[in-house]
C-alpha cells in the first residue's frame, strides 16, 4: 500500500509542477484555469466515480456500507468543533477565523481524494469516497456557506439554493452509481470504456489545475502564517490516526477504514477559497492554507499510512 501511495504522490507532485510552470510561463490564466476546474468537477470526477462504483462494487458491499455516511457526518462536525478552539488559540477573529475553520474542516476530497483512493484502494476506495461525499456536500453547502460568508452579510441559508447546489454532476454520479449497483446493472461495454477513460483524466487535470491556481499566490506570505502549519500535525496526522484506532476498536468494516481515514488526512479543500472569494470573504487567506497543506501532504500522508499499517 505504501509503495502505491508513494507512486501516486510522486505523480501528484509532478502534475502540480506542470500546472505551476504552466502558470509561470503564461500558458494558464484566469480563464482557462477556471475551465480546467469545471472540466474536473463537472465531467472527469463524476465519470471516475460512476465507473468505479459500477465496476468495483457489489450489492452486498453497498448495502452494508451506508453507516459510513453517518460516520462521515460525525467526523466532519467533530473537525469543525476542533477547529474552533484552534482558531481561537491562534487569536483569529471574525471572517478570518471562520475561513480558517473551513479550511481546517473540509478536505480536498475531489481534486486529490478521488484519484488517490481509486489507485490505492481500487475495490472500495471510491465507494467510500462517494458515501463521504454525501455528508461532505450537505455540510459544504450549509455550514461551508456560513463559514465563507462575511458575518455582516450573512442572512441564513436559503433552502432552495442549497438543494439546487446539491444537485450537481458529482452527486448525480454517486446516486446513479448506487442505483446501478442496487439493480445489478452494468454500463454497456463501449459506454463503460468511455466513462472510465474520461474518469482517468481527473487525476492529472485536477493536479495541474491546483498547481496553476496556487502559482498566482504570494508564497512568501503564505508560508509565513504559523496557523497554517497547525493544520498539518493536528488535522492531517493526529486526528486521522486517532480516528483510525477508534473506528477500528468499535468495529468499522476494515475495507472502509483506511479509505475513510485517508479522506480526513487530505489537505484543505480548494472550494473553500472559491466560496470565500465569491461571497466577499478572505479568499486569498484560504488559498494560502491550501498551498501549505497541499505541499506538506506529500510528507503527512506517508506518515499516516505507515502508522496505519
Amino acid at each position: 500500500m505504501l509503495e502505491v501511495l508513494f507512486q501516486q504522490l510522486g505523480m501528484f507532485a509532478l502534475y502540480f509542477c506542470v500546472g505551476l510552470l504552466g502558470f509561470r510561463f503564461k500558458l494558464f490564466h484566469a480563464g482557462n484555469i477556471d475551465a480546467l476546474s469545471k472540466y474536473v468537477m463537472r465531467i472527469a470526477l463524476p465519470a471516475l466515480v460512476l465507473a468505479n462504483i459500477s465496476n468495483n462494487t457489489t450489492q452486498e458491499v453497498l448495502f452494508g456500507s451506508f453507516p459510513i455516511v453517518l460516520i462521515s457526518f460525525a467526523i466532519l462536525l467533530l473537525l469543525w468543533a476542533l477547529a474552533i478552539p484552534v482558531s481561537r488559540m491562534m487569536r483569529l477573529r471574525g471572517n478570518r477565523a471562520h475561513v480558517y475553520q473551513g479550511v481546517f474542516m473540509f478536505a480536498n476530497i475531489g481534486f486529490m481524494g478521488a484519484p488517490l483512493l481509486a489507485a490505492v484502494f481500487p475495490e472500495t476506495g471510491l465507494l467510500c469516497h462517494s458515501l463521504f461525499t454525501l455528508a461532505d456536500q450537505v455540510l459544504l453547502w450549509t455550514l461551508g456557506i456560513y463559514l465563507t460568508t462575511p458575518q455582516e452579510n450573512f442572512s441564513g441559508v436559503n433552502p432552495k439554493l442549497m438543494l439546487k447546489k446539491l444537485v450537481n454532476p458529482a452527486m448525480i454520479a454517486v446516486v446513479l452509481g448506487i442505483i446501478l449497483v442496487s439493480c445489478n446493472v452494468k454500463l454497456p461495454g463501449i459506454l463503460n470504456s468511455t466513462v472510465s477513460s474520461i474518469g482517468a483524466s481527473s487525476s492529472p487535470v485536477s493536479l495541474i489545475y491546483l498547481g496553476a491556481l496556487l502559482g498566482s499566490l504570494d508564497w512568501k506570505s503564505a508560508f509565513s502564517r504559523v496557523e497554517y502549519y497547525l493544520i498539518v500535525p493536528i488535522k492531517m496526522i493526529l486526528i486521522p490516526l486517532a480516528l483510525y484506532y477508534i473506528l477500528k476498536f468499535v468495529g468499522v468494516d476494515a475495507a472502509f477504514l483506511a479509505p475513510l481515514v485517508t479522506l480526513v488526512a487530505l489537505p484543505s479543500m480548494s472550494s473553500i477559497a472559491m466560496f470565500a472569494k465569491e461571497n466577499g470573504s478572505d479568499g486569498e487567506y484560504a488559498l494560502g492554507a491550501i498551498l501549505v497543506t497541499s505541499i506538506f501532504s506529500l510528507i503527512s500522508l506517508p506518515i499516516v499510512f505507515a502508522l496505519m499499517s
Side-chain angles (χ1 to χ4, degrees):
M1 189 167 65
L2 268 175
E3 183 179 349
V4 177
L5 174 68
F6 279 118
Q7 182 181 11
Q8 289 300 307
L9 291 179
M11 292 169 60
F12 282 7
L14 291 174
Y15 292 145
F16 185 89
C17 290
V18 169
L20 183 61
L21 291 172
F23 180 85
R24 294 298 184 191
F25 288 102
K26 304 186 186 304
L27 297 176
F28 298 124
H29 51 76
N32 56 25
I33 289 176
D34 185 56
L36 287 176
S37 173
K38 289 179 179 178
Y39 169 76
V40 172
M41 298 307 295
R42 298 180 185 180
I43 299 176
L45 179 59
L48 177 68
V49 169
L50 177 59
N52 276 269
I53 291 178
S54 61
N55 292 333
N56 299 323
T57 305
T58 65
Q59 289 179 332
E60 182 181 3
V61 171
L62 176 65
F63 295 153
S65 63
F66 280 105
I68 299 297
V69 178
L70 298 178
I71 294 173
S72 300
F73 271 110
I75 289 173
L76 288 167
L77 292 173
L78 173 64
L79 288 172
W80 182 41
L82 293 173
I84 294 173
V86 174
S87 64
R88 290 175 178 171
M89 181 178 69
M90 299 309 299
R91 298 182 178 179
L92 301 175
R93 298 289 183 270
N95 297 331
R96 179 157 292 187
H98 279 182
V99 171
Y100 183 81
Q101 291 164 24
V103 294
F104 190 103
M105 173 183 177
F106 291 102
N108 203 348
I109 67 171
F111 289 113
M112 286 188 67
L116 183 63
L117 263 61
V120 181
F121 309 103
E123 294 184 357
T124 58
L126 278 186
L127 175 59
C128 183
H129 174 274
S130 299
L131 297 170
F132 192 91
T133 295
L134 295 173
D136 180 83
Q137 287 292 298
V138 169
L139 290 175
L140 179 64
W141 289 103
T142 51
L143 184 55
I145 292 294
Y146 168 71
L147 293 175
T148 55
T149 300
Q151 293 172 307
E152 60 272 16
N153 298 339
F154 187 75
S155 58
V157 174
N158 184 328
K160 291 184 179 179
L161 178 62
M162 184 194 76
L163 289 174
K164 181 180 178 181
K165 294 296 184 180
L166 284 173
V167 182
N168 57 61
M171 288 294 287
I172 292 171
V174 169
V175 173
L176 181 56
I178 290 173
I179 291 173
L180 289 174
V181 175
S182 300
C183 298
N184 199 25
V185 174
K186 296 291 184 181
L187 292 172
I190 188 170
L191 179 59
N192 184 56
S193 297
T194 303
V195 171
S196 298
S197 296
I198 293 172
S201 71
S202 66
S203 178
V205 177
S206 62
L207 272 296
I208 290 171
Y209 159 76
L210 276 179
L213 177 69
L214 298 178
S216 62
L217 285 182
D218 180 353
W219 286 41
K220 183 177 180 181
S221 174
F223 280 100
S224 67
R225 297 192 179 279
V226 177
E227 62 266 28
Y228 293 160
Y229 295 96
L230 280 183
I231 299 175
V232 179
I234 297 175
K235 187 265 176 183
M236 295 168 60
I237 298 177
L238 293 178
I239 292 175
L241 288 173
L243 284 171
Y244 175 79
Y245 290 108
I246 291 171
L247 295 176
K248 185 177 181 179
F249 177 77
V250 299
V252 171
D253 189 340
F256 293 98
L257 184 55
L260 188 61
V261 170
T262 301
L263 290 170
V264 179
L266 291 171
S268 300
M269 177 187 278
S270 54
S271 295
I272 294 298
M274 297 176 192
F275 282 15
K277 281 188 172 184
E278 289 179 6
N279 296 332
S281 193
D282 204 337
E284 290 297 315
Y285 181 79
L287 278 174
I290 295 162
L291 171 65
V292 172
T293 57
S294 295
I295 290 176
F296 276 91
S297 69
L298 301 176
I299 300 171
S300 63
L301 280 170
I303 293 174
V304 171
F305 269 67
L307 294 176
M308 284 196 301
S309 301

